[in-house]
Amino acid sequence: MTRLLMHTNLTISLDPGRAGGALSARRDRGFSLIELMVAMLLGLLVVAGLINLFIANRRSYQMQSGNNFLQENLRIASDRIGWSLRMADYWGGNKTVQVGTSAVDAVGAKGSCDGAWATAVNPTVTGGGGVYGYAGAATFPLDTACIGDSKNYVAGSDVLVVRYADPQVLAPGPAEAGFAPAESSTISGSPKQVFLLSTPGSSAQLFAGTPPATLTAKVHRYVNPYQVDMYYLRPCSVIPNNGSTCTANADGGLPLPTLMRMHLQSSGQLVSEPVVDGVEQINFEYGATGVNGALQYWSASDITANGTWANVISVRVSLVAVNPTRDISVPHVKTYVLGTLGNCTYVINSGGATTTGCQNFVPYGGGQPWQFARTDQQFVVQIRNRVRG
């Protein structure tokens, strides 16, 4: 049999039994070609097993990271919305009916989102009150100029508006003494910022620039920054080329839906800013007492039709978040029901998606929504300033 010589050891010894000390030589033979091929095959099998183990661990890590991404996004969204709702209708120790306004002209208008809309704290005014909502529709339910463009809205998603005074007290002091110089300079230095001047349990006034002289009772009065938050969903996370409109090229060609907050800035401008990306759909239901005195939940359209926004004492929030990392290991199929009224339901299956309600809504995924993991969450927030009276 032919053998491949791998190495040769030559051993030389003196044989005393032979004349002249004859030398004897012994050669060691190496592996055969077949043995070498078998060894290489076994080595390849071991390496292949290690590669498979690495791929499996990497896929498991990606899936776990995706789940963490979804949970973290939902936590951030629920914390931000929940905080705003818990602050709704806080007017420095006064009821809503005790709040007047003289700050309409300080707010820069964005279509119908103007000064009158931003400072409409009275719930009897259309679109006004500490809490007001708009039901999801095929197009943005307010003037599209509010958010810059009609393409900056996820069709079928609800919109929530919250108004309140920030609990930070900017300028406490007795009325007869006025405000300390530092506090007065802070107010006068922001002539477009809207503040609330309040005498707890008596009256309050929204103003910008110079504090009104109407609250002159010799009791303590306080100044709090005024806040307006509008939550809505935008189809993309980052608008390309520093523009103002979401396009199909946003986020690398697969636009990622994002929870947005339009907020009243100290400059008097209403500015939209992202809260957290990956929020695919959102729904709000509003709890108010029904005809039998029991708490019932209604859609924004029903509350508006009944004119009962002032009676809303809780809000049920439903969210669906999506992981933007594609996962084809298993099809991510599920039925998502937002809220309990059936106003928005969609089914993700291995062939696409079907929706009920939530008009014109298209789930994330570029035509392959089942390749992306999702999770949903529902929670209830109490409007504590209304419950406490």
Side-chain angles (χ1 to χ4, degrees):
M1 178 183 297
T2 302
R3 290 183 178 273
L4 179 65
L5 182 63
M6 300 300 295
H7 62 276
T8 302
N9 292 329
L10 179 62
T11 303
I12 302 176
S13 63
L14 183 62
D15 188 353
R18 295 187 178 181
L23 298 177
S24 65
R26 178 174 58 84
R27 295 179 180 273
D28 293 333
R29 293 177 298 178
F31 295 107
S32 69
L33 181 60
I34 294 178
E35 290 171 337
L36 181 61
M37 295 179 64
V38 170
M40 293 177 61
L41 177 61
L42 293 175
L44 290 174
L45 291 175
V46 171
V47 172
L50 292 175
I51 292 175
N52 286 333
L53 179 62
F54 172 78
I55 293 175
N57 287 339
R58 185 172 182 272
R59 183 179 296 126
S60 177
Y61 171 79
Q62 288 178 332
M63 293 179 64
Q64 185 61 45
S65 296
N67 291 335
N68 293 341
F69 173 86
L70 293 177
Q71 295 299 327
E72 183 69 8
N73 282 2
L74 288 177
R75 185 191 66 80
I76 294 173
S78 61
D79 283 354
R80 182 64 261 180
I81 294 174
W83 193 90
S84 292
L85 284 172
R86 282 187 286 271
M87 289 306 305
D89 264 343
Y90 172 71
W91 308 119
N94 294 285
K95 296 180 182 293
T96 304
V97 295
Q98 297 172 312
V99 181
T101 180
S102 59
V104 172
D105 295 336
V107 180
K110 298 180 68 175
S112 59
C113 295
D114 54 12
W117 174 86
T119 60
V121 300
N122 193 326
T124 61
V125 177
T126 301
V131 177
Y132 194 89
Y134 300 87
T139 58
F140 189 64
L142 287 85
D143 187 342
T144 55
C146 294
I147 58 173
D149 192 275
S150 59
K151 295 180 179 179
N152 292 345
Y153 167 68
V154 173
S157 60
D158 288 357
V159 177
L160 173 69
V161 180
V162 186
R163 302 178 178 91
Y164 57 94
D166 194 292
Q168 171 193 2
V169 177
L170 178 64
E176 65 272 24
F179 302 123
E183 297 158 349
S184 297
S185 62
T186 299
I187 296 172
S188 61
S190 304
K192 292 295 185 178
Q193 183 170 1
V194 181
F195 297 98
L196 176 79
L197 175 63
S198 67
T199 300
S202 176
S203 59
Q205 178 98 10
L206 294 180
F207 74 94
T210 304
T214 55
L215 300 176
T216 58
K218 293 186 178 182
V219 294
H220 282 72
R221 57 182 183 171
Y222 304 86
V223 174
N224 304 77
Y226 174 68
Q227 308 290 346
V228 180
D229 295 331
M230 181 176 76
Y231 293 96
Y232 67 97
L233 295 186
R234 190 173 72 181
C236 68
S237 176
V238 179
I239 294 178
N241 301 323
N242 297 321
S244 60
T245 304
C246 283
T247 67
N249 296 325
D251 304 321
L254 195 59
L256 181 62
T258 300
L259 175 64
M260 302 292 295
R261 180 184 72 152
M262 189 176 76
H263 183 68
L264 180 61
Q265 304 288 309
S266 61
S267 61
Q269 299 299 314
L270 291 163
V271 177
S272 291
E273 54 193 14
V275 176
V276 63
D277 56 19
V279 179
E280 180 179 67
Q281 188 55 267
I282 192 169
N283 176 265
F284 300 101
E285 294 175 347
Y286 303 89
T289 53
V291 292
N292 59 355
L295 180 67
Q296 294 179 270
Y297 282 90
W298 311 79
S299 68
S301 299
D302 292 335
I303 294 290
T304 299
N306 294 326
T308 53
W309 280 109
N311 298 335
V312 172
I313 57 175
S314 64
V315 179
R316 181 158 53 207
V317 184
S318 300
L319 301 164
V320 177
V322 60
N323 181 4
T325 301
R326 193 182 301 270
D327 177 23
I328 59 174
S329 59
V330 294
H332 298 279
V333 296
K334 186 177 178 180
T335 298
Y336 296 94
V337 180
L338 287 92
T340 60
L341 303 177
N343 291 324
C344 182
T345 298
Y346 59 101
V347 181
I348 305 294
N349 52 55
S350 57
T354 58
T355 62
T356 303
C358 39
Q359 304 176 47
N360 289 8
F361 169 64
V362 178
Y364 177 80
Q368 298 173 318
W370 64 90
Q371 295 184 356
F372 300 88
R374 292 170 172 80
T375 188
D376 53 351
Q377 183 184 45
Q378 185 178 101
F379 59 95
V380 175
V381 182
Q382 189 178 67
I383 312 299
R384 60 186 183 185
N385 293 304
R386 290 183 175 180
V387 174
R388 294 173 180 174

PDB file of all heavy atoms in Angstrom, residues 6 88 107 204 233 264 291 326:
ATOM      1  N   MET A   6       5.264  11.323   6.250  1.00  0.00           N
ATOM      2  CA  MET A   6       5.121  12.612   6.924  1.00  0.00           C
ATOM      3  C   MET A   6       6.411  13.050   7.588  1.00  0.00           C
ATOM      4  O   MET A   6       6.741  14.208   7.629  1.00  0.00           O
ATOM      5  CB  MET A   6       3.991  12.547   7.963  1.00  0.00           C
ATOM      6  CG  MET A   6       2.633  12.205   7.351  1.00  0.00           C
ATOM      7  SD  MET A   6       2.121  13.426   6.133  1.00  0.00           S
ATOM      8  CE  MET A   6       1.943  14.865   7.176  1.00  0.00           C
ATOM      9  N   ALA A  88     -52.984  66.768  33.530  1.00  0.00           N
ATOM     10  CA  ALA A  88     -54.058  67.469  32.830  1.00  0.00           C
ATOM     11  C   ALA A  88     -54.942  68.225  33.811  1.00  0.00           C
ATOM     12  O   ALA A  88     -55.288  67.731  34.882  1.00  0.00           O
ATOM     13  CB  ALA A  88     -54.895  66.467  32.028  1.00  0.00           C
ATOM     14  N   VAL A 107     -48.811  82.937  20.820  1.00  0.00           N
ATOM     15  CA  VAL A 107     -48.570  81.623  20.220  1.00  0.00           C
ATOM     16  C   VAL A 107     -48.521  81.750  18.705  1.00  0.00           C
ATOM     17  O   VAL A 107     -49.444  82.292  18.086  1.00  0.00           O
ATOM     18  CB  VAL A 107     -49.655  80.611  20.633  1.00  0.00           C
ATOM     19  CG1 VAL A 107     -49.394  79.251  19.997  1.00  0.00           C
ATOM     20  CG2 VAL A 107     -49.708  80.487  22.152  1.00  0.00           C
ATOM     21  N   ALA A 204     -57.237  82.471  38.296  1.00  0.00           N
ATOM     22  CA  ALA A 204     -55.992  82.228  37.569  1.00  0.00           C
ATOM     23  C   ALA A 204     -56.104  82.847  36.186  1.00  0.00           C
ATOM     24  O   ALA A 204     -57.217  83.048  35.668  1.00  0.00           O
ATOM     25  CB  ALA A 204     -55.703  80.733  37.463  1.00  0.00           C
ATOM     26  N   LEU A 233     -48.961  59.925  15.862  1.00  0.00           N
ATOM     27  CA  LEU A 233     -47.979  59.042  15.235  1.00  0.00           C
ATOM     28  C   LEU A 233     -47.567  59.591  13.871  1.00  0.00           C
ATOM     29  O   LEU A 233     -48.415  59.985  13.073  1.00  0.00           O
ATOM     30  CB  LEU A 233     -48.541  57.623  15.059  1.00  0.00           C
ATOM     31  CG  LEU A 233     -48.858  56.839  16.332  1.00  0.00           C
ATOM     32  CD1 LEU A 233     -49.257  55.409  15.978  1.00  0.00           C
ATOM     33  CD2 LEU A 233     -47.684  56.840  17.300  1.00  0.00           C
ATOM     34  N   LEU A 264     -45.713  73.151  23.146  1.00  0.00           N
ATOM     35  CA  LEU A 264     -45.596  74.603  23.128  1.00  0.00           C
ATOM     36  C   LEU A 264     -44.271  75.003  23.771  1.00  0.00           C
ATOM     37  O   LEU A 264     -44.043  74.770  24.958  1.00  0.00           O
ATOM     38  CB  LEU A 264     -46.765  75.240  23.873  1.00  0.00           C
ATOM     39  CG  LEU A 264     -46.782  76.778  23.927  1.00  0.00           C
ATOM     40  CD1 LEU A 264     -46.852  77.365  22.522  1.00  0.00           C
ATOM     41  CD2 LEU A 264     -47.948  77.269  24.779  1.00  0.00           C
ATOM     42  N   VAL A 291     -75.179  56.973  31.860  1.00  0.00           N
ATOM     43  CA  VAL A 291     -76.507  57.348  32.342  1.00  0.00           C
ATOM     44  C   VAL A 291     -76.844  56.688  33.666  1.00  0.00           C
ATOM     45  O   VAL A 291     -77.626  57.203  34.465  1.00  0.00           O
ATOM     46  CB  VAL A 291     -77.571  56.973  31.283  1.00  0.00           C
ATOM     47  CG1 VAL A 291     -77.404  57.843  30.041  1.00  0.00           C
ATOM     48  CG2 VAL A 291     -77.485  55.492  30.912  1.00  0.00           C
ATOM     49  N   ARG A 326     -35.562  42.752  10.980  1.00  0.00           N
ATOM     50  CA  ARG A 326     -36.274  41.670  10.311  1.00  0.00           C
ATOM     51  C   ARG A 326     -35.896  40.325  10.926  1.00  0.00           C
ATOM     52  O   ARG A 326     -34.724  40.040  11.187  1.00  0.00           O
ATOM     53  CB  ARG A 326     -35.945  41.671   8.820  1.00  0.00           C
ATOM     54  CG  ARG A 326     -36.853  40.783   7.963  1.00  0.00           C
ATOM     55  CD  ARG A 326     -36.397  40.819   6.509  1.00  0.00           C
ATOM     56  NE  ARG A 326     -36.421  42.155   5.970  1.00  0.00           N
ATOM     57  CZ  ARG A 326     -37.471  42.693   5.353  1.00  0.00           C
ATOM     58  NH1 ARG A 326     -38.585  41.989   5.225  1.00  0.00           N
ATOM     59  NH2 ARG A 326     -37.407  43.920   4.872  1.00  0.00           N
TER      60      ARG A 326
END
